[in-house]
């Protein structure tokens, strides 16, 4: 496994060395290199440096240029304006770097230098409740960040903090005790997710109706909550049945989403029950939390209610019950002290930002978070309908996640079937499989190609379109390359660094070379939309290359090989990048 330095980092290093040689007093100065539309790169750092040292920027630029070794890497450097450097690389350097990438499974992408341990808290459905469109973003964004950080070499621990505790379980358990066969599955070997959810929905509605109309049942249900919290074995066993039934349903939804969710990663609210008392004691003893009107609270100077009075984080209520804050703070203690995490990422709706700001600040005051251990909320916006309003059904209900995914797959399958012809000749089985990969990919990509913090419109027509910034456009680009490579046969295409490149080949090659740098940025800023933007640009540059540079009908055998090599490394980069977003790339479309 050999990591390959990018062209940009090699140029940056050479410029920095030449700067230090020309101006020893400047120490290690940053040449501020970036991609440019005037040349391959532009370096803008000389102007600021000359100002600082009261020199002439153009003279300094000329000195730096004179100090650069000529030959293998840089074709031409032009000094423009007040000391900007426009740098054009040799075609040979571009092709050689790509050839080095092609020999490595990871395309020469280096591992992070100091990997740590990150806990990602994402995909947090609630027991005995249907998953809706709001759960989609947490699952999709969280899963992409898991893949990207693991690829960077980070140790990632997944946590699905499911809602599995609280007063409503008293009502559900009491109903099940009085109607013991409501969760039985007569003779069924395998229960589907739909069947499990429909049983849970039925019990929820029936128990709710009873709770609202029958005072005696309401009392029994409330007493049952006390039994649950006290750990009564019969009550806990019934509670576990609700959790297990819900997991059948969760797994069926995540399976549709093409995501792996493992049992040990599900640690719900109940997983921290044994820590709540101690968390409160530690906060009170250290003075971080204080008693106020019988409740245990943490106050903040900058958090005030509409009346101007401070709004505290309530860790324990005046009736002795614990709020979400106690669970969230206990989870932080567990993740930092037992799982030894350096970073905690919470993929949670932006509407909970104030809660998490207060929880993180409390954990810092308590010493559980510090300069070495940080917590980040990867806050996401709302899913909107085509009309720009929060996404609801015509009846004003929340949209069920399964319905949405099924419809996406249905639409995508229709697109695949329509595009199928004698030349492609997909079988019915392939049409169905590709439809699923394209439909689910379309939903994920629409989410991931928008900055997480922004709201986005859920528009299936747009998502499964072959034009524009959609995953289908990227999947078709990949499949098109595969069909060209199939025509060529088995031989691995060879790179030819001695050839001159056409402009479209250069643009494609330079972009492919930026894959590792893009991933490093996405892993450090937790912004998967930047990877989606990189891949869309890659597919667009490939489309231009394909239109302008004949591949199999190129002028010489060496040029055919070199262009096939460019096709192959583009496909591998697309495939790897899409996989990190959790999206599959069908071989034939």
């Amino acid at each position: 496994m050999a990591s390959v330095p990018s062209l940009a980092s090699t140029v940056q290093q050479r410029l920095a060395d030449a700067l230090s040689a020309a101006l020893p007093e400047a120490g290690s100065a940053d040449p501020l290199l970036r991609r440019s539309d005037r040349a391959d790169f532009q370096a803008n750092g000389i102007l600021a440096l000359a100002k600082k040292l009261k020199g002439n920027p153009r003279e300094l630029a000329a000195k730096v240029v004179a100090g650069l070794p000529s030959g293998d890497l840089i074709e031409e450097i032009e000094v423009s304006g007040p000391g900007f450097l426009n740098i054009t690389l040799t075609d040979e350097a571009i092709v050689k770097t790509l050839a080095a990438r092609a020999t490595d499974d990871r395309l020469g992408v280096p591992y992070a230098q100091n990997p740590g341990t990150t806990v990602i808290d994402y995909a947090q459905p609630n027991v005995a409740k249907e998953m809706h469109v709001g759960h989609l973003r947490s699952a999709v964004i969280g899963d992409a960040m898991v893949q990207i950080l693991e690829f960077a070499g980070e140790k990632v621990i997944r946590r699905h903090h499911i809602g599995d505790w609280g007063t409503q379980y008293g009502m559900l358990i009491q109903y099940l005790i009085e109607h013991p066969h409501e969760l039985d599955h007569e003779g069924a070997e395998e229960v589907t997710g739909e069947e499990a959810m429909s049983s849970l929905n039925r019990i929820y509605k029936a128990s709710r109706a009873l709770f609202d109309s029958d005072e005696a049942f309401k009392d029994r249900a409330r007493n049952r909550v006390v039994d649950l919290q006290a750990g009564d074995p019969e009550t806990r066993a019934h509670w576990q049945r609700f959790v297990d039934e819900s997991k059948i349903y969760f797994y069926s939804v995540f399976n549709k989403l093409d995501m792996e969710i493992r049992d040990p990663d599900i640690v719900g609210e109940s997983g921290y029950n044994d820590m709540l008392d101690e968390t409160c004691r530690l906060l009170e003893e250290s003075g971080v939390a204080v008693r106020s009107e019988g409740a245990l609270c943490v106050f903040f100077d900058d958090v005030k209610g509409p009346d101007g009075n401070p709004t505290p984080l309530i860790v324990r209520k005046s009736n002795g019950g614990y709020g979400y804050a106690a669970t969230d703070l206990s989870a932080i203690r567990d993740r930092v002290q037992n799982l030894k995490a350096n970073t905690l990422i919470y993929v949670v709706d932006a509407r909970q930002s104030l809660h998490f700001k207060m929880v993180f600040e409390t954990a810092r005051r308590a010493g559980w978070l510090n300069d070495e251990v940080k917590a980040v909320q990867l806050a996401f916006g709302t899913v909107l309908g085509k009309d720009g309003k929060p996404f609801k059904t015509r009846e004003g209900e929340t949209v069920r996640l399964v319905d949405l995914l099924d419809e996406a797959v249905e639409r995508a399958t229709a697109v695949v079937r329509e595009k199928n012809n004698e030349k492609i000749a997909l079988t019915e089985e392939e049409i169905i499989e590709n439809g699923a990969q394209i439909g689910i990919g379309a939903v994920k990509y629409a989410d991931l190609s928008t900055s997480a913090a922004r709201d986005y419109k859920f528009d299936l027509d747009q998502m499964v379109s072959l034009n524009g910034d959609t995953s289908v456009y990227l999947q078709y680009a990949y499949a098109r390359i595969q069909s060209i490579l199939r025509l060529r046969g088995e031989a691995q295409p060879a790179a030819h660094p001695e050839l001159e490149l056409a402009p479209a080949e250069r643009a494609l090659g330079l972009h492919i070379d930026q894959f590792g740098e893009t991933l490093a940025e996405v892993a450090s800023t937790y912004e998967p939309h930047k990877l989606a933007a990189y891949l869309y640009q890659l597919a667009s540059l490939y489309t231009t290359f394909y239109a302008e540079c004949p591949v199999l009908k190129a002028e010489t055998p060496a040029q055919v090989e070199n262009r096939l090599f460019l096709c192959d490394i583009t496909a591998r980069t697309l495939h790897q990048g899409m996989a990190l977003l959790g999206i599959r790339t069908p071989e034939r479309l």
Side-chain angles (χ1 to χ4, degrees):
M1 306 292 273
S3 72
V4 178
S6 70
L7 290 160
S9 65
T10 309
V11 173
Q12 167 93 4
Q13 190 55 56
R14 293 218 183 156
L15 282 174
D17 293 346
L19 255 173
S20 303
L23 266 189
E25 65 272 30
S28 56
D30 185 353
L32 297 180
L33 193 72
R34 60 180 182 81
R35 286 298 307 276
S36 162
D37 46 12
R38 292 205 174 79
D40 295 335
F41 294 100
Q42 189 175 65
N44 302 340
I46 289 173
L47 179 62
L49 198 62
K51 266 189 183 157
K52 194 172 134 193
L53 298 166
K54 302 188 169 41
N56 177 324
R58 278 188 75 94
E59 278 173 25
L60 176 55
K63 255 190 185 173
V64 171
V65 172
L68 281 169
S70 60
D72 61 335
L73 178 67
I74 295 172
E75 179 80 43
E76 169 185 16
I77 296 195
E78 171 206 23
V79 179
S80 83
F84 296 142
L85 300 182
N86 290 328
I87 300 159
T88 304
L89 304 187
T90 65
D91 291 350
E92 180 189 6
I94 295 173
V95 178
K96 275 189 169 163
T97 299
L98 294 183
R101 292 196 178 290
T103 61
D104 180 48
D105 289 347
R106 291 172 54 86
L107 297 164
V109 175
Y111 285 102
Q113 283 180 319
N114 300 307
T117 298
T118 295
V119 173
I120 301 192
D121 186 325
Y122 69 109
Q124 308 104 346
N126 293 312
V127 164
K129 285 197 184 151
E130 193 112 37
M131 286 175 74
H132 55 77
V133 67
H135 291 113
L136 178 67
R137 298 208 74 183
S138 178
V140 169
I141 296 166
D143 188 58
M145 281 317 308
V146 167
Q147 310 299 335
I148 290 163
L149 288 171
E150 281 184 342
F151 189 74
E154 186 79 1
K155 178 184 174 188
V156 178
I157 300 172
R158 307 151 192 231
R159 277 291 174 263
H160 308 297
H161 188 85
I162 62 172
D164 65 355
W165 204 247
T167 49
Q168 76 273 23
Y169 292 100
M171 172 183 94
L172 292 167
I173 293 166
Q174 189 58 35
Y175 185 84
L176 191 58
I177 287 174
E178 295 174 16
H179 304 79
H181 300 297
E182 287 290 308
L183 274 182
D184 295 356
H185 303 293
E186 279 120 41
E189 291 299 304
E190 272 294 297
V191 184
T192 67
E194 277 291 301
E195 288 165 349
M197 196 63 237
S198 104
S199 302
L200 291 166
N201 271 338
R202 196 180 60 246
I203 293 176
Y204 190 84
K205 283 182 180 143
S207 62
R208 182 86 239 179
L210 207 51
F211 188 86
D212 291 342
S213 63
D214 181 336
E215 281 302 319
F217 177 77
K218 189 182 268 189
D219 288 341
R220 293 197 296 279
R222 287 190 171 143
N223 291 334
R224 192 55 67 184
V225 178
V226 178
D227 295 341
L228 177 64
Q229 289 173 340
D232 168 59
E234 185 202 9
T235 308
R236 286 300 284 258
H238 279 83
W239 168 81
Q240 191 62 50
R241 287 189 71 188
F242 280 105
V243 174
D244 293 342
E245 194 76 7
S246 299
K247 279 186 182 175
I248 297 172
Y249 163 70
F250 295 157
Y251 286 162
S252 73
V253 179
F254 289 122
N255 201 28
K256 250 182 202 167
L257 267 171
D258 197 13
M259 276 181 199
E260 185 199 26
I261 300 276
R262 302 180 298 234
D263 234 36
D265 304 335
I266 296 181
V267 182
E269 294 166 356
S270 62
Y272 306 101
N273 284 344
D274 297 346
M275 299 176 73
L276 301 177
D277 192 40
E278 192 185 4
T279 296
C280 291
R281 185 175 60 74
L282 291 168
L283 290 171
E284 193 169 7
E285 281 174 5
S286 60
V288 172
V290 294
R291 302 225 176 192
S292 171
E293 295 172 29
L296 187 62
C297 301
V298 183
F299 287 91
F300 308 86
D301 293 341
D302 56 348
V303 184
K304 295 190 168 60
D307 55 4
N309 292 328
T311 304
L313 182 70
I314 298 173
V315 187
R316 193 172 51 222
K317 301 170 197 165
S318 53
N319 67 0
Y322 297 102
Y324 286 126
T327 308
D328 287 334
L329 288 162
S330 299
I332 289 178
R333 281 178 54 215
D334 175 58
R335 291 164 186 186
V336 173
Q337 292 162 3
N338 300 333
L339 302 178
K340 306 285 183 250
N342 322 88
T343 308
L344 309 178
I345 299 177
Y346 291 77
V347 189
V348 182
D349 191 316
R351 287 171 291 199
Q352 295 187 42
S353 293
L354 180 61
H355 168 77
F356 278 100
K357 181 185 160 190
M358 292 160 83
V359 165
F360 295 163
E361 176 55 32
T362 301
R364 263 192 292 278
R365 290 180 191 174
W368 304 327
L369 296 175
N370 50 42
D371 293 346
E372 273 72 59
V373 186
K374 63 172 178 172
V376 183
Q377 184 193 357
L378 207 175
F380 55 82
T382 309
V383 181
L384 307 172
K386 279 187 195 180
D387 57 3
K389 295 185 178 138
F391 200 18
K392 301 273 188 213
T393 62
R394 283 204 182 91
E395 297 72 43
E397 301 274 313
T398 311
V399 180
R400 296 169 69 219
L401 186 50
V402 237
D403 294 344
L404 211 70
L405 299 177
D406 288 346
E407 193 184 341
V409 169
E410 215 173 286
R411 295 274 190 99
T413 309
V415 171
V416 175
R417 186 167 274 126
E418 198 181 303
K419 293 290 270 180
N420 194 23
N421 55 31
E422 286 103 58
K423 210 169 121 193
I424 308 170
L426 295 174
T427 64
E428 182 60 21
E429 199 181 334
E430 285 177 307
I431 290 173
I432 287 167
E433 186 170 341
N434 286 355
Q437 293 186 4
I438 287 178
I440 296 302
V443 169
K444 287 183 177 181
Y445 186 85
D447 194 318
L448 293 167
S449 57
T450 310
S451 161
R454 286 175 46 202
D455 299 343
Y456 82 99
K457 283 186 188 167
F458 196 95
D459 178 350
L460 273 178
D461 295 325
Q462 173 52 37
M463 288 178 190
V464 299
S465 158
L466 298 172
N467 305 315
D469 187 1
T470 64
S471 64
V472 194
Y473 176 69
L474 304 181
Q475 287 165 322
Y476 266 96
Y478 177 81
R480 173 190 279 168
I481 299 173
Q482 292 309 326
S483 72
I484 295 170
L485 295 173
R486 276 195 296 275
L487 288 171
R488 173 59 199 224
E490 287 301 298
Q492 231 2 64
H496 286 269
E498 74 282 359
L499 293 178
E500 198 176 312
L501 295 177
E505 292 176 295
R506 288 183 63 90
L508 180 61
L510 285 165
H511 189 70
I512 292 169
D513 186 55
Q514 286 181 293
F515 184 50
E517 286 173 353
T518 303
L519 287 180
E521 184 186 352
V522 170
S524 66
T525 59
Y526 314 125
E527 294 180 302
H529 71 276
K530 290 184 174 169
L531 174 55
Y534 169 88
L535 294 169
Y536 174 61
Q537 175 97 37
L538 178 62
S540 306
L541 288 166
Y542 179 77
T543 305
T544 307
F545 156 80
Y546 183 76
E548 292 177 10
C549 305
V551 177
L552 297 172
K553 293 185 175 161
E555 288 166 23
T556 66
Q559 199 173 41
V560 171
E561 286 206 324
N562 202 51
R563 286 181 179 171
L564 280 167
F565 164 75
L566 280 173
C567 288
D568 185 54
I569 194 162
T570 301
R572 285 177 59 193
T573 307
L574 268 174
H575 174 77
Q576 179 63 76
M578 295 286 269
L580 293 176
L581 295 178
I583 299 173
R584 296 193 187 263
T585 36
E587 296 293 308
R588 291 182 346 120
L589 274 178

